[in-house]
Coordinates of all heavy atoms in Angstrom, one line a residue:
K87 N -18.0 5.4 2.9 CA -18.4 6.3 1.9 C -19.7 7.1 2.2 O -19.9 8.2 1.7 CB -18.6 5.5 0.6 CG -17.3 4.8 0.1 CD -16.2 5.8 -0.3 CE -16.5 6.4 -1.6 NZ -15.3 7.2 -2.1
A88 N -20.6 6.5 3.0 CA -21.8 7.1 3.3 C -21.6 8.3 4.3 O -22.4 9.2 4.3 CB -22.8 6.1 3.9
V89 N -20.6 8.2 5.2 CA -20.5 9.2 6.2 C -19.3 10.1 6.1 O -19.1 10.9 6.9 CB -20.5 8.5 7.6 CG1 -21.8 7.7 7.9 CG2 -19.3 7.6 7.8
T90 N -18.5 9.8 5.1 CA -17.3 10.7 4.9 C -17.2 11.0 3.4 O -17.9 10.4 2.5 CB -16.0 10.0 5.3 OG1 -15.6 9.0 4.3 CG2 -16.1 9.3 6.6
Q91 N -16.3 11.9 3.1 CA -16.0 12.3 1.7 C -14.7 11.6 1.2 O -14.1 12.0 0.2 CB -15.9 13.8 1.5 CG -17.2 14.5 1.8 CD -18.3 14.1 0.9 OE1 -18.1 14.1 -0.3 NE2 -19.4 13.8 1.4
L92 N -14.2 10.6 2.0 CA -12.9 10.0 1.7 C -13.0 9.2 0.4 O -13.9 8.5 0.1 CB -12.5 9.0 2.8 CG -12.1 9.6 4.2 CD1 -12.1 8.5 5.2 CD2 -10.7 10.3 4.0
C93 N -11.9 9.4 -0.4 CA -11.6 8.4 -1.4 C -11.0 7.2 -0.8 O -10.2 7.3 0.2 CB -10.7 9.0 -2.5 SG -11.4 10.4 -3.4
V94 N -11.3 6.0 -1.3 CA -10.8 4.8 -0.6 C -10.1 3.9 -1.6 O -10.7 3.5 -2.7 CB -11.9 4.0 0.1 CG1 -11.4 2.7 0.8 CG2 -12.6 4.9 1.1
Q95 N -8.9 3.5 -1.3 CA -8.3 2.3 -2.1 C -8.3 1.2 -1.1 O -7.9 1.3 0.1 CB -6.9 2.6 -2.6 CG -5.8 2.9 -1.5 CD -4.4 3.0 -2.2 OE1 -4.3 3.3 -3.3 NE2 -3.4 2.8 -1.3
T96 N -8.7 0.0 -1.6 CA -8.9 -1.1 -0.7 C -8.7 -2.4 -1.4 O -8.9 -2.5 -2.6 CB -10.4 -1.1 -0.1 OG1 -10.5 -2.1 0.9 CG2 -11.4 -1.2 -1.2
G97 N -8.3 -3.4 -0.6 CA -8.1 -4.7 -1.2 C -7.9 -5.8 -0.1 O -8.1 -5.5 1.1
G98 N -7.5 -7.0 -0.5 CA -7.4 -8.1 0.3 C -8.2 -9.3 -0.3 O -9.4 -9.2 -0.4
G99 N -7.4 -10.3 -0.8 CA -8.1 -11.5 -1.3 C -8.7 -11.3 -2.7 O -9.6 -12.1 -3.0

Side-chain angles (χ1 to χ4, degrees):
K87 298 296 285 188
V89 300
T90 76
Q91 298 298 311
L92 288 168
C93 295
V94 181
Q95 67 173 19
T96 184

